[in-house]
Amino acid sequence: MTQREQEFPALLARLRPQCDRIVAQYEQKRSALLPIMHLFQEHEGFVSPEAVRATSEMLGVTPAVVESTVSFYTLLFRKPVGKYVVQVCRGLACTINGAEDVMRMFREKLGIKHLETTTDGLISYEEVECLAACDRATCGQVNLEFVYDLEEKQIDQMIVAMRGGTYAVPAMVQTQQPERTWSIVQDVDVSRGRKSRGATDVPEPDNPGGIGDASGIIMLDRIVEHGLAFHGATHERLVEESKDVAELIGSDHAGR
């Protein structure tokens, strides 16, 4: 057990009154999920598994609900990151004004790539979409504070100041040493083109039924061949079947 894990119960006890005040502001408890997640991240440097479980208990939702929300928002980190998170914009205006050169300089000077952290755990680097400061391209952020008109001299000064502890933007809390990357494995798999679970274990992963099959016959044949294996597993499908399809799959499933 890490020191952070050992200290989490004390952190939870300290933050619990503030969490309760946040929850009280909302008509539905679940609406407090994001501000509570940001609160835990502010004190741990990322959203830890312990914070996910504690939040699920406070709000009366499952840990999966909390995790699905955390995984959706890129400003919530699911793994430890550096004390300084450097984000460089790669939007259109910044690209036109030299973002590719700026990103290359950061990668070379820090010795890391997109979504990686320096070996000393100090600086994490990310290339992001438009930061909405197009009039000051090429722009970026350090711990969400804007930096504008980026060029090599400024980049050198920023890195020196961060490493020297004199950078103008306060360092983030870091309660656990980050790994090389804070990217989650599943995200990397998807970005590399690997198929989601729904398109695996089929003869043709690029055509599991439905793709190029407007009539639905391929999928319908698969349902029939497997003895209606996935009927009854869910009640989420609400569309009405045609009469012919309803008769084919059985009257028990008509209209589902």
Side-chain angles (χ1 to χ4, degrees):
M1 181 179 290
T2 66
Q3 182 177 351
R4 182 198 59 76
E5 291 171 332
Q6 294 174 347
E7 295 175 350
F8 184 81
L11 174 65
L12 177 60
R14 190 166 74 251
L15 295 183
R16 188 58 189 258
Q18 191 170 346
C19 290
D20 290 341
R21 289 194 294 272
I22 292 173
V23 172
Q25 297 175 15
Y26 297 94
E27 189 172 325
Q28 297 183 15
K29 283 186 175 182
R30 182 169 174 171
S31 300
L33 201 161
L34 282 177
I36 288 178
M37 288 293 89
H38 280 290
L39 178 64
F40 277 115
Q41 180 164 287
E42 179 183 338
H43 286 81
E44 289 197 285
F46 72 111
V47 178
S48 68
E50 292 76 21
V52 169
R53 288 193 292 271
T55 301
S56 72
E57 293 173 2
M58 281 189 280
L59 302 184
V61 298
T62 65
V65 168
V66 180
E67 178 65 25
S68 67
T69 303
V70 173
S71 65
F72 181 81
Y73 291 98
T74 58
L75 293 183
L76 291 173
F77 305 117
R78 288 183 283 168
K79 294 174 68 175
V81 295
K83 295 180 180 180
Y84 294 99
V85 177
V86 176
Q87 298 171 309
V88 177
C89 179
R90 60 186 179 194
L92 178 59
C94 287
T95 297
I96 291 173
N97 281 275
E100 290 188 3
D101 290 334
V102 169
M103 292 187 288
R104 176 184 52 77
M105 284 187 280
F106 267 113
R107 291 194 296 262
E108 291 177 353
K109 294 173 186 297
L110 294 174
I112 54 178
K113 297 182 291 187
H114 172 58
L115 297 182
E116 290 187 348
T117 302
T118 53
T119 54
D120 59 4
L122 182 65
I123 302 172
S124 291
Y125 173 70
E126 183 178 14
E127 295 162 1
V128 299
E129 301 308 321
C130 184
L131 292 175
C134 302
D135 60 319
R136 298 292 301 275
T138 298
C139 70
Q141 290 184 332
V142 178
N143 294 354
L144 300 186
E145 293 292 331
F146 274 99
V147 286
Y148 303 107
D149 308 311
L150 287 168
E151 45 83 35
E152 186 167 12
K153 182 179 179 180
Q154 183 183 7
I155 292 170
D156 288 336
Q157 293 172 342
M158 290 169 59
I159 294 173
V160 168
M162 289 178 204
R163 288 177 171 161
T166 61
Y167 192 70
V169 177
M172 295 201 308
V173 170
Q174 188 179 74
T175 57
Q176 184 171 321
Q177 181 74 8
E179 300 174 0
R180 179 70 171 184
T181 178
W182 74 90
S183 175
I184 303 299
V185 173
Q186 295 91 324
D187 296 342
V188 174
D189 287 343
V190 172
S191 70
R192 290 176 179 171
R194 293 188 60 183
K195 299 295 180 181
S196 63
R197 185 64 197 166
T200 59
D201 299 327
V202 294
E204 297 181 26
D206 288 322
N207 190 3
I211 301 176
D213 176 38
S215 67
I217 294 300
I218 295 176
M219 182 55 72
L220 189 57
D221 286 345
R222 191 162 292 148
I223 292 173
V224 174
E225 290 170 4
H226 288 79
L228 305 179
F230 30 94
H231 279 297
T234 178
H235 296 291
E236 293 180 1
R237 190 177 182 195
L238 301 177
V239 298
E240 293 289 332
E241 301 285 12
S242 68
K243 180 180 178 181
D244 292 341
V245 172
E247 290 177 352
L248 178 60
I249 65 177
S251 58
D252 289 344
H253 306 288
R256 292 188 179 184

